[in-house]
Amino acid sequence: MDGARTEPLLAAQLPAPRKPELLPDGGSEAVLERVPQKVEPPPLHQVVLLNDDYTPMEFVVMVLQEFFNKDRDTATQIMLQVHVHGRGVCGIYTADIAATKVDQVLKAASHAGHPLQCISEPVD
Ligand code: TYC
């Protein structure tokens, strides 16, 4: 016999629990320092309307008011920017929200029978 124990230890045979160690300040409770979290802001995406020759200007203005919360003057300016320059930014969002906006615009355009195109792209 080498003295190795084969029976399970009874509670009474277990070593007594160690006393919590005293901290240098004499207290026995640890205080965790708050560690500043380094959280990056989410990448942003811009929703861009593209020009075409067929979608009525009024429909584009309505889309900008309805889905991008623009007032009528701002919506008209953005629509004209797209009409003249080929594209225009409707708004800047997180990726999920930008994708939802694109979906809403494409569904509304398709429902109304217009070829209006809308994309989302990362903001640099
Ligand atoms: N070019 C269109 C027209 O002359 C108007 C238009 C503006 C279409 C913006 C799309 O994203 C657009 N009826």
Side-chain angles (χ1 to χ4, degrees):
M1 197 49 121
D2 60 1
R5 189 189 293 276
T6 55
E7 296 299 313
L9 277 175
L10 296 173
Q13 298 167 321
L14 289 170
R18 290 199 318 126
K19 276 207 215 143
E21 270 172 43
L22 287 186
L23 296 169
D25 66 359
S28 61
E29 288 180 2
V31 174
L32 295 178
E33 297 279 329
R34 184 176 291 280
V35 179
Q37 297 291 299
K38 291 207 184 70
V39 179
E40 297 294 325
L44 294 178
H45 293 246
Q46 56 190 17
V47 176
V48 177
L49 271 183
L50 305 178
N51 190 33
D52 66 74
D53 292 337
Y54 304 102
T55 303
M57 292 183 174
E58 187 55 40
F59 182 81
V60 179
V61 171
M62 180 279 291
V63 159
L64 286 159
Q65 292 183 102
E66 189 79 19
F67 300 120
F68 299 95
N69 303 315
K70 305 300 184 190
D71 61 42
R72 195 163 172 84
D73 283 357
T74 307
T76 303
Q77 282 173 26
I78 296 173
M79 181 278 294
L80 286 173
Q81 149 76 30
V82 180
H83 178 68
V84 172
H85 298 287
R87 51 181 275 147
V89 175
C90 314
I92 296 180
Y93 309 94
T94 57
D96 280 7
I97 294 176
T100 300
K101 300 277 179 193
V102 168
D103 241 49
Q104 290 173 327
V105 172
L106 295 182
K107 282 210 174 83
S110 150
H111 185 78
H114 301 312
L116 181 62
Q117 289 302 300
C118 181
I119 58 172
S120 156
E121 61 188 27
V123 176
D124 10 72

